[in-house]
Amino acid sequence: MVHRVVITGLGTVNPLGLDVASTWASVLASRSGVRRIQGWDTTGWPVQIAADVQGFGPERVGHREANRYERFVWYALDAAKQALLDAGLDPAAPLGERAGVYVGSGIGGSQAIAKNALQIAKDGPRHIPASFVPQSLTNIAGGAVAIAHGAQGPSLCVSTACATGNHSIGEAWRVLRGGEAELILAGGTESAMFDLGLAGFMAMKALSKRNDAPEQASRPFDRDRDGFVMGEGAGVVVMETLERAQARGARVYCEVLGYALNNDAHHITAPPPGHLGAARCMKRALESAGLAPEQVDYINAHGTSTKANDAEESAAIRSVFGGHADRLAVSSTKSMTGHLLGAAGGVEAVLCALALQHQIAPPTINLDVPDAGCDLDYVPHRARPMPMRVALSNAFGFGGTNAVLVFGAAP
């Protein structure tokens, strides 16, 4: 038997807000979460801006947990608890053997690795804490969520760079469809907001240097974009079989209709001309959902605000949707959140669910003059009320990996 899969709970921590309500309010207000970096002295750095999480202290997860884990785990724990509460479930009640956790991260505990590398260079191995290895492991976020909520079913940590969140949700969808579990907490989390994390992307010349106007720095599809803005946070959703959700009278945000993944097999960081891998992935995702291109209303684009991605993604969308591409609403919420790396797909799934629930397409802010090849309707500047039955979410990662999710309005 193939089971239908729905999303019944949402949770997020990100630069726009520490919960779903404040995040959605920021999206509707076209607010940017990009600001000057305060965590360390960036004097003389070419990049001095980022989209960091503000106001999130250790008290949100408890000081014991905060001391045990790195911040990417803090964010996952908080977002997962939010999602369970939103789904009408008791976070203190063990979820049991039929519930799983698919929460991944692109970079994981890189901050712990950097900190302890400096420590061992200074003092040798004597002061390396016993917690170092667990703190550095990418899968500890999902493990911590499973422990916190007694989820003893299928558990998987996906780590596919910026496609992590989409792959996590998509693979969870497969497990639920096949009946191996009835509920899965799925999404992505990331916190690489420290000096080495920023310097690494800066060395690749991938980041915006619009230090004098941080809120205008992330500008997907715009002629004057000069790179992405690094962000952090988490997005986690409660996914259930439709039967389970209906049996307990749960509110349903949307249905997960389809999913596909593939690889460009082209270049470690750059898409091929026309982003053929992304085009194939979108086609296969629609096929898995049993939908025609003309049935799609909205696409949450990968839309990174880089020269390499935006025009090629637009070309891929046009190649898949043909004449219908001119009737699509396509937006990049990274214009507001920045690029949350492994957490991006999780947060964007939350926003797709809200878009379908409220029938409002999120905007692409800072889009003043579309660049050559960027010729779609990107919902510039302001959110747009519109009829919406089907939404796609695109995510592409370093290594050429692609993941596309298809969401449908609540059944």
Side-chain angles (χ1 to χ4, degrees):
M1 178 180 177
V2 176
H3 299 269
R4 294 172 70 179
V5 179
V6 294
I7 290 177
T8 57
L10 309 176
T12 185
V13 172
N14 66 77
L16 296 181
L18 302 184
D19 54 35
V20 172
S22 59
T23 297
W24 187 239
S26 293
V27 167
L28 296 182
S30 302
R31 192 172 297 132
S32 171
V34 183
R35 53 197 69 113
R36 293 190 69 85
I37 292 169
Q38 302 295 321
W40 69 94
D41 185 5
T42 58
T43 302
W45 286 50
V47 177
Q48 301 175 5
I49 57 174
D52 61 346
V53 170
Q54 300 249 309
F56 190 105
E59 68 282 353
R60 287 184 68 99
V61 294
H63 288 279
R64 181 184 174 190
E65 302 301 280
N67 290 332
R68 179 182 294 174
Y69 300 123
E70 290 291 292
R71 287 186 75 88
F72 81 105
V73 181
W74 298 9
Y75 296 157
L77 284 168
D78 196 85
K81 183 177 180 180
Q82 288 181 41
L84 287 169
L85 286 168
D86 188 48
L89 298 167
D90 180 1
L95 291 170
E97 297 179 5
R98 298 286 290 161
V101 177
Y102 277 47
V103 174
S105 178
I107 293 176
S110 55
Q111 196 160 352
I113 294 170
K115 178 173 63 181
N116 284 281
L118 290 174
Q119 180 65 43
I120 199 169
K122 179 184 175 185
D123 296 323
R126 291 176 301 153
H127 299 293
I128 300 301
S131 59
F132 162 59
V133 170
Q135 285 179 341
S136 67
L137 296 175
T138 304
N139 75 302
I140 289 300
V145 170
I147 292 167
H149 302 294
Q152 299 174 324
S155 178
L156 182 68
C157 171
V158 176
S159 185
T160 48
C162 307
T164 294
N166 273 24
H167 278 130
S168 297
I169 292 168
E171 293 304 317
W173 174 74
R174 287 181 168 176
V175 168
L176 290 163
R177 270 170 56 90
E180 297 173 57
E182 294 178 350
L183 180 150
I184 295 181
L185 284 155
T189 186
E190 202 80 89
S191 181
M193 199 63 64
F194 67 111
D195 52 4
L196 181 60
L198 186 82
F201 285 107
M202 195 167 66
M204 298 178 68
K205 304 188 186 306
L207 300 179
S208 171
K209 299 177 182 177
R210 199 179 286 258
N211 299 320
D212 57 340
E215 294 183 350
Q216 300 171 29
S218 185
R219 43 196 318 113
F221 311 109
D222 189 77
R223 180 189 62 190
D224 296 326
R225 70 194 186 280
D226 68 331
F228 76 85
V229 176
M230 197 164 116
E232 63 173 350
V236 176
V237 298
V238 173
M239 302 171 65
E240 299 182 63
T241 60
L242 179 60
E243 300 97 317
R244 186 185 194 279
Q246 289 176 333
R248 67 182 190 88
R251 172 197 50 204
V252 173
Y253 281 98
C254 63
E255 183 172 2
V256 185
L257 298 174
Y259 160 66
L261 73 166
N262 68 359
N263 199 288
D264 297 333
H266 170 73
H267 188 274
I268 202 71
T269 59
H275 215 325
L276 300 178
R280 287 194 298 270
C281 201
M282 284 186 273
K283 287 179 181 177
R284 289 173 182 168
L286 289 173
E287 289 169 2
S288 77
L291 296 173
E294 294 75 21
Q295 291 175 272
V296 176
D297 303 297
Y298 169 68
I299 298 178
N300 189 296
H302 189 55
T304 55
S305 186
T306 61
K307 294 293 183 183
N309 176 83
D310 296 357
E312 303 301 347
E313 183 178 8
S314 298
I317 290 170
R318 194 163 281 288
S319 73
V320 172
F321 291 91
H324 184 63
D326 293 317
R327 294 184 286 277
L328 282 170
V330 180
S331 68
S332 172
T333 47
K334 291 183 180 72
S335 61
M336 295 171 282
T337 65
H339 193 344
L340 276 58
L341 310 178
V347 173
E348 288 158 16
V350 169
L351 296 179
C352 281
L354 292 168
L356 285 163
Q357 182 196 34
H358 295 288
Q359 298 287 284
I360 298 175
T364 303
I365 70 170
N366 299 322
L367 180 52
D368 298 327
V369 181
D371 199 3
C374 298
D375 57 355
L376 301 172
D377 175 2
Y378 302 110
V379 196
H381 303 302
R382 293 179 179 84
R384 180 187 303 163
M386 58 174 280
M388 195 184 308
R389 295 294 302 170
V390 178
L392 257 64
S393 180
N394 287 344
F396 317 130
F398 284 174
T401 186
N402 306 309
V404 176
L405 295 168
V406 185
F407 300 103

